[in-house]
Amino acid sequence: MSYSYRGRPMWKCPMDTAIYADILWEIRPKTVIEFGSNRGASALWLADQLTTFGVANAHVWSLDINPVTDLADPGRTFGFCEVANPAASLGPEDLQALPKRLLMIDDASPLGRHVLAVLQFIDLITDPGDYVIIEDDILNQLGWEEEYQGGPLEVLRVFLAGDTAREAGPRCQIYHACCDIFGRNVTLNPERYLRRL
């Protein structure tokens, strides 16, 4: 929890930053949308990685209920979003117009209902080949799921099983090649690296 990047706290496991780097290199996203900014370090890191990898004109949108206001940096935009209802802050039509490929990261709230709201929103705006990362699923492995309304794990299981409101079945799959780089689910996000089908 004391790790920082460019002088700002960045609460990510080093193994997960390595997994992120592999994903960024593989898909070279033009747009990254991150729910949960904290102090902005992860947005800085993401944009710096994309620059290092030569992804021209890539942009990171980092959104939070308490937006970062003390950081202006090219290639990053900080703004407001309430993950209980992402569509209230982000119009799906506007998001569809953003350059692809797209990487979506939910690192805002681990409450089950919030994770579900983000997943349902992501389902509307992602295309095949886009990636989704749901952070903090380790909460379930620590036995804290009741505290967090089931946490990400149970919600994602239901989501991946398919939604009867949709005509088709599930449109995301767990991307095991990322989850298991350091051994089976050696990550703080076990089985939470997803690829849109």
Side-chain angles (χ1 to χ4, degrees):
M1 297 300 284
S2 61
Y3 174 63
S4 65
Y5 181 74
R6 289 175 57 179
R8 290 177 175 256
M10 188 169 100
W11 299 338
K12 290 206 186 310
C13 169
M15 288 178 292
D16 289 324
T17 57
I19 295 169
Y20 269 66
D22 273 2
I23 292 171
L24 294 172
W25 177 257
E26 180 179 338
I27 69 170
R28 305 171 74 78
K30 289 286 192 176
T31 301
V32 178
I33 298 176
E34 172 189 55
F35 294 102
S37 305
N38 190 22
R39 295 281 311 286
S42 60
L44 291 174
W45 182 86
L46 287 160
D48 287 350
Q49 288 293 301
L50 290 170
T51 299
T52 299
F53 293 160
V55 184
N57 303 315
H59 200 88
V60 176
W61 301 83
S62 185
L63 310 170
D64 200 289
I65 195 168
N66 297 307
V68 174
T69 58
D70 64 342
L71 180 60
D73 206 74
R76 299 99 174 149
T77 299
F78 297 97
F80 173 85
C81 183
E82 167 56 70
V83 291
N85 185 13
S89 301
L90 303 166
E93 301 81 13
D94 297 330
L95 291 170
Q96 284 286 1
L98 291 172
K100 298 293 181 96
R101 287 193 164 167
L102 179 64
L103 171 62
M104 304 274 311
I105 302 164
D106 180 14
D107 194 13
S109 166
L111 290 177
R113 63 189 168 87
H114 291 163
V115 175
L116 180 59
V118 170
L119 283 168
Q120 290 171 334
F121 180 74
I122 286 170
D123 191 49
L124 296 173
I125 65 168
T126 53
D127 292 329
D130 292 341
Y131 280 65
V132 178
I133 302 171
I134 308 296
E135 289 270 1
D136 298 327
D137 189 47
I138 195 74
L139 297 172
N140 293 84
Q141 280 70 22
L142 295 172
W144 297 347
E145 58 269 19
E146 283 187 33
E147 224 175 299
Y148 293 96
Q149 301 171 357
L153 180 62
E154 195 54 42
V155 167
L156 195 56
R157 280 184 182 149
V158 171
F159 179 78
L160 291 176
D163 183 343
T164 55
R166 290 195 307 251
E167 291 182 12
R171 298 196 290 182
C172 282
Q173 68 179 10
I174 298 168
Y175 191 41
H176 291 285
C178 287
C179 300
D180 301 339
I181 287 175
F182 297 105
R184 188 173 186 280
N185 276 325
V186 180
T187 166
L188 292 186
N189 313 315
E191 299 192 353
R192 298 304 162 253
Y193 292 92
L194 310 174
R195 183 167 49 186
R196 177 74 152 73
L197 299 172

